[in-house]
Amino acid sequence: MYMVYWTTVGDDDVSHPHSEQFDTSEMVLAMQFMEELRKRQRGGERLCFVTMCSEHPDVVGHPGVDVTGPDYNWKKRRR
């Protein structure tokens, strides 16, 4: 799933956050929507913080940082 986030700024300089959700199969549509927002921004409309975030519904494991155990011994190999 994809979410596009953006903020509009009113004449009173108050920020108003917005979002639009897209299905996992609609990445191209989400990117086209973002480009339309950026075109409006370039045209002088008071838009900012145009960004996209994804979260796959079938992800394995939990997002974030986990604590490692005492047996964890990862080393970067250098050539």
Side-chain angles (χ1 to χ4, degrees), residues 2 22-29:
Y2 300 100
F22 295 86
D23 188 66
T24 303
S25 63
E26 299 178 320
M27 182 170 141
V28 172
L29 290 175

Side-chain angles (χ1 to χ4, degrees), residues 2 5 12 15-16 21 24 28 37 41 48 53 64 70 75 78:
Y2 300 100
Y5 299 96
D12 53 359
S15 297
H16 304 279
Q21 182 175 329
T24 303
V28 172
L37 290 171
Q41 184 182 40
C48 55
C53 183
K75 292 180 182 170
R78 296 178 187 256

Side-chain angles (χ1 to χ4, degrees), residues 1-6 18-24 26 29-30 33 52-53 55:
M1 166 180 344
Y2 300 100
M3 290 287 286
V4 174
Y5 299 96
W6 72 99
H18 303 277
S19 65
E20 184 77 29
Q21 182 175 329
F22 295 86
D23 188 66
T24 303
E26 299 178 320
L29 290 175
F33 182 72
M52 179 174 72
C53 183
E55 185 172 294

Side-chain angles (χ1 to χ4, degrees), residues 5-9 33-51:
Y5 299 96
W6 72 99
T7 300
T8 58
V9 181
F33 182 72
M34 288 174 38
E35 184 57 27
E36 287 300 317
L37 290 171
R38 290 185 174 125
K39 284 180 185 176
R40 289 169 46 189
Q41 184 182 40
R42 288 189 297 268
E45 196 169 333
R46 296 182 73 187
L47 296 172
C48 55
F49 298 106
V50 178
T51 188

